[in-house]
């Protein structure tokens, strides 16, 4: 079936009739969209809109994650011919998922960027549609959270990262990818006692009241134990899940701006993500993929896999809500 279909399936990003179904087009060709979904600005009756945020002007070290959305889309073309492994749902067949394209913004007017991004996400959420974003550097999560908090109230944050990103910064106008969760707590966008960071391995004396499952603890216990701790912390509160690719060890994800040794393996991250199924996930992102430092392409592959796990978590929750 798949081999035969590959002979005539092409450019599903623009040729697909309807939004659902697997894609058998050649992984190495065709117009790129995330998982070969339709490009569409029409979000009526859409379950999830995928959107890229190619912004990397808030980094402390190496820039380049503005190319992350393209790299994740390209790496995702290895996956849309099979259902996701380890799940008993198939989001590509059973849910309406579109690629909404990228945010447009004036790269030379950085100060205007946060409000533009909040507007962009607000425009998706008004359609009763989920939003899954690809960064870009991690700062993008802050304007995104403003739109989510407007709709859902303060959310529980599940945050995978080598860094806490809660370094104190009382200038709310500074655009910095290391301080936005300090600001998100201060602004009331997230509930610290229902939020948790996983994979932390850089020193910051201020935790903003957020739970921390640091990288050494993840390594000492099983992924199942980590997943249970996460689920106990968030309960049934609406969850926003942010996946900074540098939560993974540089051996698994070298293509990122601020790599730190001692991180999670991709196997640990995959098991934890699958085992937190059942959380009340309302949105999420994958950030900090920088293809120019990604000599093997492994980082983009990990980013595309993490993104698909986020799709599965969202659809799992949607199915439960609709049951
Ligand atoms: Mn981060
Ligand atoms: Mn980080």
């Amino acid at each position: 079936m798949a081999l035969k279909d590959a002979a005539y399936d092409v450019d599903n990003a623009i040729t697909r009739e309807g939004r659902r179904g697997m894609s058998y087009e050649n992984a190495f060709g065709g117009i790129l969209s995330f998982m070969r979904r339709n490009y569409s600005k029409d979000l009526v009756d859409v379950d999830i809109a995928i959107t890229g945020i190619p912004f990397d002007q808030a980094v402390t070290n190496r820039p380049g994650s503005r190319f992350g959305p393209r790299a994740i889309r390209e790496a995702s073309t290895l996956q849309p011919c099979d259902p996701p492994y380890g799940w008993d749902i198939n989001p590509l067949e059973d849910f309406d998922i579109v690629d909404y394209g990228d945010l447009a913004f004036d790269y030379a007017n950085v100060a205007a960027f946060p409000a533009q991004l909040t507007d962009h996400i607000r425009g998706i959420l008004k359609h009763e549609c989920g939003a899954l974003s690809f960064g870009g550097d991690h700062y993008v999560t802050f304007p995104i959270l403003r739109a989510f908090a407007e709709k859902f109230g303060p959310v529980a944050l599940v945050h995978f990262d080598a860094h806490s990103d809660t370094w104190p910064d009382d200038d709310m106008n500074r655009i910095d990818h290391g301080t936005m969760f300090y600001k998100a707590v201060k602004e009331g966008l997230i509930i610290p006692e229902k939020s948790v960071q996983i994979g932390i391995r850089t020193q910051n004396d201020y935790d903003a009241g957020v739970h921390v499952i640091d990288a050494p603890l993840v390594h000492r216990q099983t992924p199942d134990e980590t997943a249970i701790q996460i689920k106990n912390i968030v309960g049934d509160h609406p969850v926003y899940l942010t996946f900074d690719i540098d939560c993974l060890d540089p051996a698994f994800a070298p293509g990122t701006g601020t790599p730190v040794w001692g991180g999670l393996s991709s196997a640990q991250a995959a098991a934890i993500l699958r085992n937190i199924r059942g959380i009340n996930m309302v949105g999420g992102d994958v950030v900090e993929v920088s293809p120019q430092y990604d000599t093997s392409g492994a980082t983009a592959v990990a980013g595309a896999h993490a993104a698909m796990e986020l799709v599965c978590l969202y659809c799992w929750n949607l199915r439960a809500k609709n049951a």
Side-chain angles (χ1 to χ4, degrees), residues 21-43:
M22 312 308 281
S23 177
Y24 299 104
E25 68 181 280
N26 290 323
F28 48 83
I31 293 172
L32 294 177
S33 64
F34 179 67
M35 300 296 274
R36 306 292 195 182
R37 297 306 91 187
N38 284 102
Y39 274 109
S40 179
K41 298 293 185 191
D42 175 9
L43 297 180

Side-chain angles (χ1 to χ4, degrees), residues 247-301:
C247 74
L248 300 179
D249 191 84
F252 300 91
T256 194
T258 41
V260 184
W261 75 338
L264 277 59
S265 70
S266 50
Q268 285 171 309
I272 294 167
L273 287 170
R274 285 167 199 172
N275 286 329
I276 58 173
R277 66 184 64 185
I279 60 170
N280 182 14
M281 182 165 153
V282 295
D285 60 52
V286 177
V287 297
E288 300 281 0
V289 172
S290 287
Q292 54 276 69
Y293 314 111
D294 194 19
T295 50
S296 67
T299 315
V301 169

Side-chain angles (χ1 to χ4, degrees), residues 16-256:
R16 177 185 299 283
E17 290 183 17
R19 303 183 187 112
R20 301 186 182 192
M22 312 308 281
S23 177
Y24 299 104
E25 68 181 280
N26 290 323
F28 48 83
I31 293 172
L32 294 177
S33 64
F34 179 67
M35 300 296 274
R36 306 292 195 182
R37 297 306 91 187
N38 284 102
Y39 274 109
S40 179
K41 298 293 185 191
D42 175 9
L43 297 180
V44 175
D45 295 328
V46 167
D47 294 313
I48 302 177
I50 308 291
T51 186
I53 315 296
F55 173 89
D56 66 3
Q57 285 160 276
V59 297
T60 46
N61 189 22
R62 307 186 295 191
S65 58
R66 66 180 61 184
F67 299 106
R70 281 189 181 170
I72 292 171
R73 285 189 176 99
E74 180 178 349
S76 80
T77 62
L78 287 166
Q79 296 182 57
C81 56
D82 295 307
Y85 184 78
W87 290 84
D88 72 353
I89 55 171
N90 186 355
L92 301 184
E93 287 280 12
D94 300 334
F95 294 88
D96 291 289
I97 302 169
V98 301
D99 193 323
Y100 190 64
D102 289 349
L103 169 67
F105 58 94
D106 180 353
Y107 58 85
N109 190 355
V110 179
F113 169 76
Q116 286 175 314
L117 174 50
T118 302
D119 268 351
H120 179 72
I121 300 298
R122 193 184 279 135
I124 294 172
L125 295 181
K126 77 177 183 207
H127 290 276
E128 298 304 315
C129 171
L132 178 58
S133 306
F134 301 153
D137 69 52
H138 210 165
Y139 176 78
V140 304
T141 305
F142 182 48
I144 292 172
L145 280 172
R146 283 179 169 150
F148 273 86
E150 271 176 21
K151 176 160 182 177
F152 296 99
V155 295
L157 189 72
V158 173
H159 170 202
F160 289 82
D161 206 323
H163 313 88
S164 65
D165 297 343
T166 56
W167 279 277
D169 177 3
D170 288 308
D171 179 350
M172 299 303 273
N173 292 321
R174 282 190 69 257
I175 295 175
D176 184 327
H177 79 152
T179 67
M180 66 281 167
F181 296 132
Y182 172 91
K183 294 175 183 180
V185 171
K186 187 175 171 183
E187 202 172 295
L189 306 180
I190 63 178
I191 302 173
E193 56 271 25
K194 289 187 184 299
S195 298
V196 56
Q197 301 176 327
I198 305 102
I200 305 300
R201 53 193 187 280
T202 46
Q203 187 59 37
N204 175 4
D205 291 336
Y206 182 67
D207 65 11
V210 174
H211 297 270
V212 177
I213 305 172
D214 69 2
L217 180 55
V218 173
H219 291 309
R220 280 200 303 277
Q221 61 191 15
T222 67
D224 295 26
E225 287 169 325
T226 299
I228 289 167
Q229 290 166 351
I230 295 168
K231 291 180 81 165
N232 285 340
I233 289 164
V234 303
D236 58 6
H237 201 78
V239 169
Y240 186 89
L241 197 160
T242 183
F243 194 91
D244 183 332
I245 203 74
D246 72 27
C247 74
L248 300 179
D249 191 84
F252 300 91
T256 194

